[in-house]
Amino acid sequence: MTILPQARAMSRNELKAFRATGLDPVFFDSTGDNQLSFLKLTVLGNDWILDNIYKDHDFDDVPNNQLVELAEKTFRMTYGLEKEVKNS
């Protein structure tokens, strides 16, 4: 069983590198002539986060849903976004 690393925010340099790839969904322009759909951008961005922020970890046998959660948590932490709290 693979133990996932603790999620962490990206450093400023890591975020700049992420943005340089064009995969940061914060800059997605839904009005322009986009070659990438928002969903595809998100998937590619998640892969970039896993490959570059957690490059010392082998995720080959980890279920994808766990990796999506780790990448998205990293993104939210980087931008200071809290996970939505559901009403009980």
Side-chain angles (χ1 to χ4, degrees):
M1 178 178 176
T2 302
I3 297 175
L4 295 177
Q6 174 102 17
R8 66 171 181 83
M10 288 184 255
S11 69
R12 183 165 192 266
N13 283 334
E14 290 168 337
L15 182 57
K16 287 169 76 173
F18 180 57
R19 287 178 177 165
T21 67
L23 297 175
D24 189 338
V26 169
F27 296 97
F28 181 76
D29 179 8
S30 62
T31 62
D33 182 24
N34 297 300
Q35 294 186 8
L36 288 178
S37 70
F38 186 77
L39 183 58
K40 185 174 182 179
L41 181 78
T42 301
V43 169
L44 293 173
N46 285 349
D47 282 345
W48 188 95
I49 288 170
L50 294 169
D51 292 342
N52 291 277
I53 304 305
Y54 303 104
K55 56 187 161 202
D56 295 334
H57 297 275
D58 178 11
F59 295 123
D60 288 347
D61 296 323
V62 178
N64 190 63
N65 63 321
Q66 293 177 24
L67 297 176
V68 168
E69 187 176 328
L70 175 62
E72 289 182 356
K73 185 172 184 180
T74 300
F75 180 83
R76 287 191 312 270
M77 291 175 76
T78 298
Y79 279 100
L81 305 172
E82 296 290 324
K83 189 171 184 175
E84 289 185 28
V85 178
K86 296 182 180 180
N87 293 335
S88 299

